[in-house]
Amino acid sequence: MQLEILFEQANHILSFISTDFKRYLFHQIHWEARFIGIKGARGTGKTTLLLQWLKSLDLPITTAAYFSLDDLYFTKNTLKETAIAFMKGGGKILVLDEVHKYPNWSVELKNLHDFYPDLQIVFTSSSIVELSRQEGDLSRRALIYELTGLSFREFLYLKYKIELPTLSLSELIENPKSYQKQIPNSFRPLQYFPEYLATGFYPFTISEPLTAHQRINQMIRTIVEYDMAELPDFDIRNAKKLLQLVYVIAQQVPFKPNISELALKTGIHRNSLNNYLVFLERAALIHLLQPAGISTAILQKPEKIYLNNTNLMVALAQEKANIGTLRETFLLAMLKPFHNVAMPKAGDFLVNDTLTLEVGGKSKTDKQIADLPNAYVVKDQLEWPLGNQLPLWLFGMGY
């Protein structure tokens, strides 16, 4: 077993990693824990996050190592044998990337955790994988975190080195004026916001914006044709139909689904459609919006379907993306990973069962939500709060 090959590869990739910019999750993870899992959609930066932490430890690679389990090395060598050899050589910290690409990974990780208490394990897996349904049920053993795409705030720093403080949802609602005082007078958020909506959600598009939408389209195909194979309930022969489903949704978002019509357009049996929509949501390609008051534990037809983020929407739009839908998609992308969001009877979104938001442009009024408590109009093209009117871009400062 030639661990030196893996060590050499790890050293090489670490030499290219910059620690100048770290995603929001880096500062939230309890890195001292013995068993940590990081889930996330393809393209959100899980690998970079791992490597930045490993680099910050400043330890020899023989003590703290990075292995990617989709490496050809692991087609002939087992993870357990490799980890034991690593520990015998003085290894203490094992950072494992793409664990879901390795057969029987959950059981081997469980065994390593249970039988080798002096080994710290940090691993990444696809957001598609439900850890609680794996044979080893790692969700009961590991601290699990999930990484989403870039916020508007992170985009501003990564692309333009504009550093702004975070703004929680409660602070935004209760005292947005205090946040305004912390921002330089020269900062013009609307100067950068359209660029973020088009190409700012995925870290990999920042450096090459001209090819961003081509790469996003390639990423979608990879998720559906390659990553979906990890799902035990998914027939990979239906990958082409699932891609077609994504494109049908993209042309009609926000989409009020008619299951029979959708089944007819895609060739997917109507009994399988709800499951496939859930798969696409777990893959972070869409968001399913349920009506308020309905348990999310119940598998049912969603009230509306949105694409996961505005970059997907712009990349998949056959014509110019609808601005109204872009606004709603942005707001949902910023809120849904961290809050309970549902569709109310009046307004666009109900957040945490208490906050009603109506989204629109400059001319949007509060007519639809005038009689509701704790209700706000979220406006595009507005720089700073005005009464019960909140700027759309401010919701991108949450992380």
Side-chain angles (χ1 to χ4, degrees):
M1 187 178 299
Q2 298 180 350
L3 280 178
E4 291 77 14
I5 296 173
L6 296 179
F7 290 152
E8 185 179 334
Q9 288 179 173
N11 264 328
H12 181 71
I13 195 169
L14 277 171
S15 67
F16 288 92
I17 291 297
S18 168
T19 56
D20 293 343
F21 168 77
K22 298 185 181 75
R23 294 295 316 278
Y24 73 97
L25 194 61
F26 187 97
H27 308 287
Q28 296 178 5
I29 294 173
H30 291 279
W31 292 108
E32 72 282 358
R34 191 166 71 84
F35 200 22
I36 299 169
I38 302 169
K39 293 176 60 177
R42 183 177 286 270
T44 52
K46 301 185 299 296
T47 300
T48 300
L49 189 75
L50 283 188
L51 293 171
Q52 286 178 327
W53 177 65
L54 197 58
K55 193 165 187 172
S56 71
L57 297 176
D58 197 25
L59 293 171
I61 204 72
T62 52
T63 302
Y66 166 84
F67 301 155
S68 180
L69 295 194
D70 64 351
D71 193 295
L72 288 174
Y73 175 95
F74 288 102
T75 60
K76 294 184 177 180
N77 300 281
T78 70
L79 170 59
K80 189 173 181 180
E81 290 171 342
T82 303
I84 291 170
F86 170 64
M87 286 187 289
K88 285 181 178 178
K92 298 292 182 184
I93 300 171
L94 196 52
V95 173
L96 302 172
D97 206 5
E98 302 279 5
V99 295
H100 55 284
K101 298 300 180 186
Y102 177 85
N104 212 31
W105 60 275
S106 59
V107 174
E108 290 200 35
L109 278 183
K110 171 187 173 293
N111 288 340
L112 287 173
H113 170 265
D114 292 350
F115 298 137
Y116 301 97
D118 54 341
L119 178 67
Q120 182 184 16
I121 300 172
V122 183
F123 68 91
T124 72
S125 75
S126 167
S127 59
I128 293 174
V129 176
E130 279 195 85
L131 296 178
S132 61
R133 293 184 63 186
Q134 298 301 310
E135 192 174 341
D137 191 4
L138 302 182
S139 65
R140 294 189 294 111
R141 289 173 168 81
L143 275 179
I144 305 297
Y145 298 88
E146 186 146 10
L147 183 66
T148 187
L150 294 171
S151 66
F152 182 41
R153 174 183 166 273
E154 289 182 307
F155 163 77
L156 287 169
Y157 184 77
L158 183 58
K159 181 72 180 283
Y160 294 105
K161 296 297 180 286
I162 298 172
E163 189 170 5
L164 301 175
T166 56
L167 175 67
S168 70
L169 182 60
S170 59
E171 290 170 332
L172 193 162
I173 298 301
E174 294 164 14
N175 195 7
K177 291 289 185 182
S178 67
Y179 185 79
Q180 183 176 349
K181 293 174 183 176
Q182 302 176 56
I183 306 301
N185 290 331
S186 59
F187 175 61
R188 292 290 174 264
L190 304 181
Q191 176 183 346
Y192 307 98
F193 195 49
E195 182 184 1
Y196 170 82
L197 296 178
T199 58
F201 188 78
Y202 296 103
F204 68 83
T205 63
I206 299 296
S207 57
E208 298 178 39
L210 294 179
T211 60
H213 294 149
Q214 180 184 351
R215 295 177 70 189
I216 288 171
N217 271 278
Q218 290 171 347
M219 180 191 72
I220 294 167
R221 297 193 72 91
T222 302
I223 289 171
V224 173
E225 297 176 347
Y226 184 56
D227 295 352
M228 289 288 187
E230 311 302 325
L231 290 166
D233 303 326
F234 179 65
D235 186 344
I236 196 63
R237 290 174 297 181
N238 285 327
K240 187 175 181 180
K241 293 179 181 178
L242 201 60
L243 270 176
Q244 190 175 354
L245 177 59
V246 173
Y247 285 99
V248 168
I249 292 169
Q251 302 314 312
Q252 302 181 62
V253 290
F255 184 56
K256 291 188 176 183
N258 178 313
I259 295 300
S260 298
E261 187 180 326
L262 209 49
L264 192 63
K265 283 185 176 180
T266 60
I268 298 172
H269 195 283
R270 58 171 292 127
N271 293 343
S272 301
L273 258 176
N274 273 347
N275 279 330
Y276 282 11
L277 290 173
V278 171
F279 294 159
L280 289 176
E281 184 171 51
R282 277 165 47 189
L285 290 177
I286 64 173
H287 280 307
L288 303 177
L289 193 65
Q290 301 290 357
I294 301 296
S295 170
T296 54
I298 302 171
L299 184 62
Q300 62 173 2
K301 180 175 79 79
E303 191 69 26
K304 276 188 180 182
I305 303 174
Y306 289 84
L307 290 179
N308 177 272
N309 60 79
T310 58
N311 290 190
L312 288 175
M313 190 179 164
V314 175
L316 292 173
Q318 292 180 352
E319 300 175 5
K320 188 176 180 181
N322 179 274
I323 185 61
T325 305
L326 273 176
R327 293 164 182 154
E328 292 181 29
T329 301
F330 164 76
L331 189 58
L332 196 58
M334 295 298 100
L335 292 175
K336 202 164 187 284
F338 310 101
H339 302 278
N340 175 35
V341 185
M343 184 174 173
K345 291 181 180 178
D348 290 314
F349 302 117
L350 180 66
V351 185
N352 299 330
D353 298 319
T354 58
L355 174 67
T356 301
L357 301 176
E358 174 74 15
V359 189
K362 273 196 278 191
S363 59
K364 190 72 175 180
T365 68
D366 65 354
K367 181 180 178 181
Q368 290 173 278
I369 57 172
D371 298 327
L372 297 176
N374 203 27
Y376 296 84
V377 177
V378 180
K379 284 192 174 186
D380 196 5
Q381 300 301 314
L382 182 67
E383 277 202 343
W384 297 108
L386 189 63
N388 75 333
Q389 300 176 16
L390 299 172
L392 181 64
W393 72 268
L394 262 184
F395 286 82
M397 300 291 111
Y399 64 93

